[in-house]
Amino acid sequence: MKWLVSLVGAGLVMIALRDLFHTLWHPTRHGGLSRLVMTALWRLARRFRARRRVVGLVGPLAMVTVVGMWAGTVIIGWAVVYWPHMPEAFTFSAGSKAAQEPALLDSLYLSLVTVATLGLGDIAPGEGWLRLVSPLEALIGFALLTAMVSWVLEIYPALTRRRVLAIRLALLRDADPTPGQLDSTAGALLLDSLATEVVRVRLDFTQYAEAYYFHDGEDHSSLAAMVGYAAALAERGQTARRPEVRLAGDLLAGALADLAAILDQRFLHTGGPPAEVFAAYATDHGRGRPQP
């Protein structure tokens, strides 16, 4: 029975590690529990009337919640591993009253100080297998801290690329290039560079799906608000006279269709064409319909 309880604790630890791996390091970045937490917080925020203020906190709050979930699951899992063997399989420092506490409380305490790599030493494993297994928790705690830092360092450059694209589209919309200006070599280069940026954002949504739950601020820095203008530019490029402009327009339209497919597959589930997906994307981010 003791070993069965310990196996349950080990299972909890493995669940947390699997979710961490799939969220941060798996090629498709499909985190199960973390994705559910972020989606639930996003949908909850949509119910508030002061939506933009609340939604602006969802991304950072969701990341903190997910990291707390991972840490809590690991701590509880290791505590369950220790619990059936407490106190007879452990040694206590002289004068310590820890052995007089409930076994579950001692197990949680030991798990917490171990995962935090404090190593206070007032409770130490005594049996051989525990002396071999217990340091693994400290390694997992160190990996968890490293993963949290790397996650933050990865997600914010992706958000910057998305907002840069949105601001560039806003500036182009304000400049309102004429058909003659767009139907030129410079226009072809412009559409081609926009297609490249859209592809980068598409990859960001694939590799950093949690970026979807970050609010972009004002409309001029929101891709949800400006992606409709990119589609309008692609249509204008596809009907131009110059073949290089038509080709660049086709490239931009294809990149936008690919972006719409990722957004629909992972977040929106409309099953419609790109225009419908972008409209749903804008609505989900509180922007109404995309800007034409």
Side-chain angles (χ1 to χ4, degrees):
M1 186 62 183
K2 288 184 177 182
W3 289 105
L4 181 59
V5 174
S6 294
L7 286 175
V8 170
L12 289 174
V13 174
M14 293 304 298
I15 289 173
L17 293 180
R18 179 189 181 279
D19 192 65
L20 187 151
F21 174 79
H22 278 263
T23 300
L24 300 183
W25 297 307
H26 194 275
T28 60
R29 306 291 288 256
H30 275 259
L33 295 176
S34 60
R35 182 69 176 276
L36 290 176
V37 169
M38 291 188 167
T39 302
L41 288 175
W42 179 261
R43 291 177 179 174
L44 181 63
R46 290 179 59 191
R47 298 180 181 273
F48 288 88
R49 291 188 178 183
R51 188 170 181 275
R52 291 197 180 185
R53 292 182 180 179
V54 176
V55 171
L57 298 174
V58 171
L61 180 61
M63 291 182 69
V64 172
T65 303
V66 169
V67 171
M69 177 189 68
W70 289 336
T73 304
V74 168
I75 291 169
I76 293 173
W78 279 100
V80 173
V81 171
Y82 301 144
W83 182 28
H85 311 281
M86 183 72 69
E88 61 273 7
F90 295 84
T91 59
F92 299 83
S93 61
S96 173
K97 297 182 179 180
Q100 302 174 12
E101 301 293 337
L104 181 58
L105 181 61
D106 281 343
S107 300
L108 283 171
Y109 165 75
L110 176 61
S111 180
L112 182 59
V113 297
T114 303
V115 80
T117 66
L118 292 176
L120 298 180
D122 52 343
I123 304 178
E127 292 190 0
W129 70 274
L130 281 171
R131 297 180 67 180
L132 291 175
V133 169
S134 183
L136 292 176
E137 186 178 8
L139 292 176
I140 291 173
F142 182 76
L144 188 61
L145 177 61
T146 304
M148 179 180 65
V149 173
S150 64
W151 197 15
V152 172
L153 293 178
E154 288 175 348
I155 190 65
Y156 280 96
L159 295 174
T160 299
R161 287 189 289 270
R162 188 172 80 195
R163 290 164 183 168
V164 166
L165 174 58
I167 292 173
R168 188 180 182 194
L169 289 170
L171 293 173
L172 282 171
R173 185 190 61 179
D174 294 341
D176 192 21
T178 65
Q181 289 174 323
L182 195 62
D183 193 4
S184 63
T185 302
L189 294 173
L190 171 66
L191 296 178
D192 182 71
S193 64
L194 286 175
T196 301
E197 291 186 48
V198 170
V199 170
R200 288 196 186 104
V201 171
R202 182 263 188 209
L203 290 175
D204 286 337
F205 277 123
T206 302
Q207 297 179 350
Y208 313 108
E210 56 276 9
Y212 180 87
Y213 305 107
F214 279 75
H215 197 256
D216 287 326
E218 301 300 326
D219 284 351
H220 72 279
S221 62
S222 171
L223 184 61
M226 300 311 307
V227 70
Y229 184 68
L233 285 175
E235 291 178 3
R236 290 169 61 182
Q238 288 175 306
T239 58
R241 289 180 300 174
R242 289 174 175 264
E244 65 269 25
V245 180
R246 292 198 300 271
L247 176 60
D250 289 339
L251 288 174
L252 179 55
L256 288 168
D258 199 22
L259 173 62
I262 291 297
L263 289 171
D264 200 44
Q265 176 187 355
R266 294 204 166 196
F267 310 105
L268 300 169
H269 312 294
T270 67
E276 183 179 340
V277 174
F278 290 143
Y281 177 38
T283 301
D284 199 37
H285 280 253
R287 305 295 178 177
R289 297 186 65 83
Q291 298 290 329

